[in-house]
Amino acid sequence: MSFEELGLSEDILKAIEECGYTEPTPIQAQAIPHVLMMRDLVGLAQTGTGKTAGFTLPMIEVLAGGRAKARMPRSLILEPTRELAAQVAENFDTYGKYSNLSKALLTGGTSLDEQIKKLDRGVDVLIATPGRLLDLFERGRILLTDIKILVIDEADRMLDMGFIPDIEKIVSLLPPMRQTLLFSATMPPEIKRLTTQFLNNPREVSVAAPASTAENVEQFLVWTHPKKKYDELESIIKSEDVKNAFIFCNRKKDIGGLATWLGKKGYNAKPLHGDMAQSARTQTLDDFKNDKITLLVCSDVAARGLDIKGMSHVFNFDVPMNPDDYVHRIGRTGRAGMDGRAWTLATKEEDKYIRQIEKRIKSSIPVFDGSKKTQHTTKDKHTTKDKKEPVTKSPVTKNKVQHVAEDKKQPHKKENPGKPQTEKPKKQDDRKRSDGGEFVTGFGEEVPPFFKGK
Ligand code: AMP
């Protein structure tokens, strides 16, 4: 299947070619024909699958030729966060380069005046977060009666963030005769309900099971004690070739402290969370994208869906309490066919969340084995000593580690620019777990205490 076969016009094909895309991704191949036929659509897809182009390309095609009246946009894309909205706007500019359509990005934290001026001139596409859109509507700056296409993106995250009442209000302001597209990485009952409420006889397309994790993301679990988490994290970072990484914290209040601590240790680390001023958030994100920042310490909300190419690592400083968040977090790495590595620090208190995650992803997260990590990540620097390390009997861990060690095509080979020094990592299997047990090399060899009797 090619983009030409999907029936997109010359202007769009030219823009796609300039992006270097040779063929549609599975979600694009499935979604684009339905959108072009003006059908309602439910897309079960995570970010990283190419879903943005899946709805943006046919939307540009459908809107091309028409013209928006002042304050009466013709299509509306709702996004849960400002960063995601900005990312979609960028995509729209890229794909619509030759299509002569106008857009406005309506998000909080940026100048209202600018947005109002744009709306007054007339825009074809509105890309908005729910709060700012309602604000502008209530000020009488915008009319939604000409909306022909509505996209509700990242619906499950909208739900998590408490936006559903806002979405319901927005939808009540739109004409009933419209096309509605809803995208979600998961389909909890509340979202299912919305699809029956807002969509008319929708087609469904799906590219990955909701609970699946990317195959090219290697996962590791490290049992630790709350008081040792900072040191543990640093030890892992030191032993890995970190090109760039997100470090997820569950609590906003921990983000600044951890970023500062890493900064003092000589790492190029910065915080990103929802309480920061929009200008600081945008600047931080730009710096991260431009490799000026190596480690971004962030919350789920701030990092949701951000498409940053070639991220080498994800670190879960805390175990996410919602298993979907685990899937989303580790999906930040291992994108576009590149290998990625996801490390999760877990304390005894968090074992219930780990078990929920493992149920969700339908596999166990390999428990980190210090000897293996040393072998494959620092082989150039510690060859002699490391070769003496014992070999695990855990088939899962062994295969994964050998795969990485032998993989000459690793995308993240370059020296870690945020790493202040090279130091041999601690051998964790020599240490005691916080709950008194030994560190284990895999579930096959030794059953962790938290598994016993449960
Ligand atoms: P998304 O899931 O929309 O966030 O897209 C993830 C990434 O895939 C973005 O960086 C896109 O530029 C890229 N992408 C989208 N469509 C294609 C395609 N057909 N071929 C290659 N890359 C693509």
Side-chain angles (χ1 to χ4, degrees), residues 3 21 23-25 28 46-52 95 307 309:
F3 281 110
Y21 304 167
E23 56 178 21
T25 65
Q28 290 162 5
Q46 301 181 21
T47 48
T49 55
K51 75 175 159 68
T52 314
Y95 304 138
D307 174 39
K309 290 188 176 64

